[in-house]
Amino acid sequence: MNRRVFITGYGVITAIGGNGPENFASLRDRKCGYGRLEFLETRYQDDIYCCEIKLSDEALCRRAGVSTGCGFTRTTLLGLIAIREAIASAGLTDQEVRNAGLVSATTAGGIRELERHFFERQDLQSSGDFITFLDTVDPGEHMERLADILGMKRYLATVSTACSSSANALLFGARLLKTGLADCMICGGAEALAKITINGFNALMILDREHCKPFDQNRCGLNLGEGAAYLVLEAEESLKRSGKKAIAELTGYANFNDAFHQTASSPEGAGALKAMRKALNMGGINPSDVDYINAHGTGTENNDLSEGLALETLFGVNVPPFSSTKPYTGHTTSAAGSVEAAFCLMAFENDVIYPNINFKQPMEELNIRPTTALKTNAGLKNILTNSLGFGGSTTSLLFAKC
C-alpha cells in the first residue's frame, strides 16, 4: 500500500505570533522575536538574547485551556496550544481526534521545570512542589500529557533526534498513513527555552550575541528560540470521505545520517544532499521544479556552509530562491522542522517567499545568496524544507500545493 498524504490543517506558536495568522503577519512584515529574556531566569539574561514567547506559564495555561498547578510543563503547554489550533484548522471532530495518531517531538522535554526545582530536590526534608514535575523530564511524558488531555490512545510516539525531531515526526506520521496503519495523524513538535539549552549551545561557542544572520559571510552563530507547531496529516481516502480541501500534499521526504560529528554537519553537506535528492526522487520531480527552499540556515559557520554546498551540488547554477526564517523565530531546536513546515504551508496559502533578513555579504565559499526581499505572487507549486540535527540527522520534506 502506498497512499498519498495530505495536510489539512496546522497550528503554530512562536516568539513572533500566538497562532498561524500572527506568525504570517510577522514574516510578511519582517517582525522578529529576538530580544531580552523575561520569563526564563538565567545569569545570561543581559548577555544572550533569544526569541522568547512573551507569555508566562499561567498565561499559556489559560490559552491552552488547562488549570494552573496541574504539572503541565511549558513545552507541553506550547504543544497543546498549537495542536488545538491544528485541530480547528483541519476541522476535526472530537471523534476524529480520538481516532487519530499523535507523533510529538521534543528533546529537552520538562528540563526547564527540573532546573527550577533541582536544588530543592537535593533537600530530602523539602516539602516543595517538585514532585509535580518529577516525570516531566522524560520527552515521552510530554507526548503522554498531550494525548491524555485530547483523549488520544492510538499510534502514540515520541521522536527525539535533536534539531530534526519534528521533521522526523512528520516523516514518521506520513509513513503510517502510506502503509495504511492510520488514516489521520497529528504530527509536530514543541520546545521551551531552558538553561541547559542556552548553556549547552554557549559551551559549543555557536551562539551569536547579536541578531543572527544566516548565510552571511560575517555570521557568528545562532539565536535560540522556543515554540511549537503541529500539522494534521490525512490519507487520500480520508479526504474523499470528508470532502475536505487539503492545503498541500507531502509528496516526498527523506532522512539521512552523515555520522560526521556529534554536533556538526559534514563539511561538504553529504547528509543534506542525500536527503534532498531522495525527497525529490520520491516526489517524482526534478530539481528545476522546486520553487522555494526553506533552508535550515542557523547562522553557524558549519551549518550554512554545509547546507549551501549541498544546494549548489544538487541544483547547480540554478538554485531556487531560498531563505532561512530563523532570524524571526530563533532556532526552536526540536520544534524547528514542524514550525518551518507550517511556514511552508503559509507560503502556499499566500503565494509568497520569505526574505532572509540580516543578510549583507555573500559567503566567499559559495556562489549563491538567499532571497532578501518578500516576493509576492511567487507562483509556488513545490517547496522543499530542510532540518539538520546534531549527530548528522538530516531530513528534507517536499510539499506540493493543492
Side-chain angles (χ1 to χ4, degrees):
M1 186 175 291
N2 188 25
R3 303 193 297 176
R4 297 170 69 184
V5 176
F6 294 89
I7 297 95
T8 57
Y10 62 89
V12 58
I13 177 172
T14 70
I16 61 172
N19 53 40
E22 289 180 6
N23 272 269
F24 176 73
S26 294
L27 291 167
R28 180 196 61 208
D29 299 337
R30 306 172 74 99
K31 179 182 176 181
C32 305
Y34 176 73
R36 184 181 185 276
L37 289 166
E38 295 180 17
F39 293 99
L40 178 66
E41 295 182 2
T42 167
R43 62 177 178 170
Y44 291 117
Q45 277 178 296
D46 295 317
D47 181 31
I48 299 175
Y49 282 17
C50 299
C51 294
E52 181 185 49
I53 294 170
K54 300 308 182 188
L55 292 170
S56 67
D57 290 359
E58 291 74 18
L60 291 175
C61 281
R62 290 191 292 272
R63 285 204 177 193
V66 299
S67 301
T68 59
C70 293
F72 288 98
T73 66
R74 189 173 178 89
T75 295
T76 300
L77 293 171
L78 295 175
L80 185 55
I81 291 168
I83 287 179
R84 289 199 190 282
E85 184 189 6
I87 289 170
S89 172
L92 298 182
T93 66
D94 291 344
Q95 186 60 48
E96 287 174 325
V97 173
R98 287 192 290 271
N99 290 337
L102 174 65
V103 183
S104 189
T106 186
T107 298
I111 197 73
R112 177 187 178 113
E113 285 70 27
L114 175 64
E115 292 169 347
R116 193 165 65 231
H117 298 288
F118 178 78
F119 292 106
E120 181 183 339
R121 290 188 62 190
Q122 309 312 300
D123 181 3
L124 298 180
Q125 306 303 315
S126 172
S127 58
D129 65 345
F130 64 81
I131 296 297
T132 306
F133 293 101
L134 273 178
D135 297 327
T136 63
V137 179
D138 177 12
E141 176 66 16
H142 153 78
M143 182 277 300
E144 294 284 354
R145 290 290 184 101
L146 293 172
D148 285 347
I149 200 165
L150 295 168
M152 303 175 72
K153 300 183 182 299
R154 304 175 66 185
Y155 317 115
L156 307 179
T158 301
V159 175
S160 186
T161 57
C163 303
S164 62
S165 296
S166 56
N168 285 332
L170 292 166
L171 185 156
F172 185 15
R175 292 181 66 182
L176 290 173
L177 294 175
K178 275 188 172 292
T179 54
L181 294 175
D183 289 326
C184 178
M185 297 293 302
I186 301 174
C187 306
E191 204 76 271
L193 286 165
K195 292 179 183 179
I196 193 170
T197 311
I198 294 174
N199 293 345
F201 278 85
N202 189 44
L204 291 171
M205 298 184 288
I206 55 174
L207 289 181
D208 195 335
R209 259 48 178 189
E210 298 179 351
H211 202 179
C212 68
K213 34 193 175 294
F215 298 107
D216 191 274
Q217 172 64 22
N218 298 309
R219 65 198 184 282
C220 298
L222 59 86
N223 305 139
L224 286 167
E226 61 182 353
Y230 288 82
L231 278 60
V232 176
L233 278 59
E234 297 192 56
E236 185 175 18
E237 290 78 1
S238 177
L239 261 66
K240 288 180 179 178
R241 288 194 297 268
S242 67
K244 284 190 288 188
K245 169 70 174 175
I247 302 168
E249 181 179 358
L250 179 55
T251 55
Y253 50 78
N255 170 265
F256 275 92
N257 193 309
D258 62 32
F260 171 73
H261 188 270
Q262 289 177 320
T263 60
S265 302
S266 61
E268 71 281 5
L273 176 61
K274 290 179 179 178
M276 289 190 290
R277 182 171 284 157
K278 185 173 181 181
L280 296 186
N281 289 340
M282 183 178 180
I285 67 171
N286 297 315
S288 59
D289 295 320
V290 176
D291 301 304
Y292 168 57
I293 301 169
N294 182 288
H296 189 63
T298 60
T300 64
E301 181 178 354
N302 169 261
N303 175 95
D304 294 4
L305 178 58
S306 176
E307 188 175 13
L309 289 172
L311 291 174
E312 287 191 334
T313 302
L314 179 60
F315 295 96
V317 296
N318 297 309
V319 176
F322 71 96
S323 63
S324 168
T325 50
K326 286 185 172 65
Y328 295 90
T329 64
H331 189 354
T332 55
T333 57
S334 292
S338 56
V339 165
E340 290 160 22
F343 289 173
C344 292
L345 300 178
M346 295 176 196
F348 278 139
E349 290 176 323
N350 297 278
D351 201 25
V352 301
I353 292 175
Y354 309 118
N356 192 117
I357 60 176
N358 298 339
F359 176 85
K360 294 181 180 178
Q361 183 176 346
M363 294 168 55
E364 60 185 20
E365 302 94 338
L366 301 177
N367 295 312
I368 57 176
R369 61 176 64 196
T371 297
T372 57
L374 181 73
K375 183 176 181 180
T376 59
N377 300 314
L380 298 175
K381 296 179 181 178
N382 297 291
I383 297 178
L384 187 69
T385 181
N386 295 329
S387 296
L388 282 60
F390 282 173
S393 178
T394 302
T395 301
S396 292
L397 305 173
L398 177 65
F399 297 103
K401 184 177 182 179
C402 288

